[in-house]
Amino acid sequence: MTKTVLVLVETVDDYLPLLEAEGYRLIRAQTPVLRAEAIARHGAEIDAVLTRGPLGLYADEIAVLPALKIICVIGAGYEQVDLVAARARGIVVTNGAGANASTVADHAMALLFAVVRNIPHADASTRRGEWNRVISPSLAGKRLGVLGLGAVGLAIARRGAQGFDMQVSYHNRRPRTDVPYAYCDSPLALARASDFLLVATPGGAGTQQLIGRAELQALGAEGYLVNIARASVVSTQALVEALRTRTIAGAGLDVFDDEPQVPDELKGLANVVLTPHVAGQSPEAARDTVTLVLRNLQAFFAGQAVLTPVAG
C-alpha cells in the first residue's frame, strides 16, 4: 500500500524523487499557507511527515493527523517537533544526525576564515579600487574550542586539528572516551581555553543561551565566535554588545533568532560575517539527507528499527 509523506522542508527538492521512485506519495507543503491547507485537506491520509528543526511539527497538527506514524527530521536538530505529543501517540521520530556534518563543518571553517582574515571587507574594498592591506591573524596553531562534539562538532575538530595544527578542546553533555581532544567541564571553561569558539550543539531547551556575557568575556578581545548550530544557544543581546565593544574580536553567524529576519544591530557591525542558514546545504548533503530519510522510512514500514531515532 502506498504511503503518503507530507513534505514541509524546502531545501531538498532535487532529491525528493528518490522517495517517489520507491513508491511514496509526496504532498509538498513548503510554505505556512500550503502547510495549513495540506493538513486540513489531506490530514487523514498522511502516514509520515518530513520536516526540519525550526519548522517542526506541533501538537495541534499531530492531533489532526490520525494516520501519522513517523516524523522524519532532516538535520540533527528537532527543537520545534512536539516530542511529548508524538510519544503520546506512539509516533516514531527520527533525525538526520550526521548526514550533512561534512558540509556544515566546511561552512563553519569558511566563516571562521572569513571573519578572522577579514575576507568580505578585503574583497569589497578591492572592488572599490582601494588597496587596503590590513594585517589579520593566522589560524594555524591557535586554540579551537568546539561546543558540542557530535557529528558536526567532531568534523570541525578534525579539520582544525589535522588541517591547521590547532589545539582542540570541547564541551559536551558528557566527556567522550574516543577522541584525543581536551574536555572542558563547562562552556565558560571552554571559552577560557579558546581563541576560536565554534558552536555546534543542537537547539532546544537544554542548550538555551549556553553562551552569554560571561563566556564572551572569557573568550576575550582576540577571540572569535562562530555559530552554525542554533541562534538560541548564544545570547544575541550579549553577542551584539560584545561585538560592539570589542569584548571579542569578531563572529561568524549562520543562524538567527527570528529567521529570515536578521537584527539590524548585527547587520550594522563590521566585525561579523553573516550567512542565511546555509551551512548544511550542498548537493551532497541534500542527497545524503534524503537517502537517510528513505532508509528510515523503509526500515519503519518494514517493521524494523529506524536508523536514527530521537529519544523521547
Side-chain angles (χ1 to χ4, degrees):
M1 183 177 178
T2 299
K3 301 300 183 183
T4 298
V5 182
L6 176 64
V7 178
L8 304 180
V9 298
E10 71 287 7
T11 56
V12 294
D13 278 358
D14 289 348
Y15 296 91
L16 291 177
L18 292 173
L19 299 180
E20 292 173 314
E22 294 297 326
Y24 291 94
R25 171 194 175 211
L26 305 186
I27 299 174
R28 292 171 171 82
Q30 297 151 316
T31 69
V33 170
L34 291 176
R35 175 173 174 161
E37 290 178 354
I39 291 173
R41 182 176 302 175
H42 302 287
E45 310 160 33
I46 294 166
D47 301 288
V49 171
L50 176 55
T51 187
R52 60 184 178 87
L55 293 175
L57 193 69
Y58 304 110
D60 60 337
E61 295 174 318
I62 292 171
V64 294
L65 299 174
L68 181 63
K69 303 174 186 68
I70 182 171
I71 301 167
C72 295
V73 186
I74 67 170
Y78 45 86
E79 64 272 19
Q80 294 301 325
V81 175
D82 196 312
L83 295 181
V84 173
R87 297 304 182 218
R89 281 265 308 277
I91 296 167
V92 170
V93 181
T94 70
N95 70 353
N100 64 355
S102 181
T103 295
V104 176
D106 287 350
H107 194 82
M109 299 304 286
L111 280 174
L112 182 64
F113 300 156
V115 67
V116 173
R117 296 294 297 172
N118 207 25
I119 300 299
H121 295 289
D123 176 82
S125 67
T126 303
R127 291 173 188 273
R128 291 193 299 266
E130 301 165 2
W131 198 248
N132 296 328
R133 302 180 68 191
V134 177
I135 297 176
S136 300
S138 174
L139 285 85
K142 296 294 176 62
R143 301 174 301 161
L144 174 65
V146 182
L147 183 61
L149 205 66
V152 171
L154 191 57
I156 291 169
R158 286 171 175 160
R159 282 158 173 74
Q162 298 173 14
F164 295 89
D165 295 322
M166 293 182 183
Q167 305 166 49
V168 178
S169 302
Y170 73 99
H171 174 71
N172 226 28
R173 286 173 294 180
R174 60 188 65 87
R176 292 184 58 154
T177 59
D178 58 341
V179 297
Y181 313 123
Y183 176 73
C184 294
D185 62 6
S186 70
L188 182 60
L190 181 65
R192 290 194 184 111
S194 302
D195 299 306
F196 309 137
L197 180 57
L198 273 69
V199 179
T201 66
T207 58
Q208 286 277 349
Q209 299 203 358
L210 291 180
I211 302 298
R213 183 173 288 107
E215 289 76 18
L216 293 169
Q217 288 175 344
L219 183 58
E222 296 182 357
Y224 293 82
L225 178 136
V226 170
N227 189 359
I228 44 75
R230 291 290 186 264
S232 59
V233 183
V234 179
S235 166
T236 298
Q237 181 179 357
L239 179 59
V240 169
E241 178 185 339
L243 290 166
R244 182 184 294 130
T245 60
R246 300 285 173 160
T247 298
I248 65 172
L253 304 176
D254 187 54
V255 288
F256 307 93
D257 290 312
D258 186 24
E259 296 177 1
Q261 305 303 316
V262 177
D264 289 337
E265 297 94 331
L266 285 172
K267 290 190 285 188
L269 293 168
N271 57 340
V272 60
V273 176
L274 310 172
T275 57
H277 204 151
V278 293
Q281 296 188 33
S282 71
E284 298 86 353
R287 178 199 63 219
D288 292 347
T289 292
V290 176
T291 299
L292 180 56
V293 168
L294 176 59
R295 293 175 66 196
N296 274 318
L297 289 173
Q298 298 288 66
F300 177 80
F301 288 116
Q304 302 168 3
V306 296
L307 284 75
T308 54
V310 171

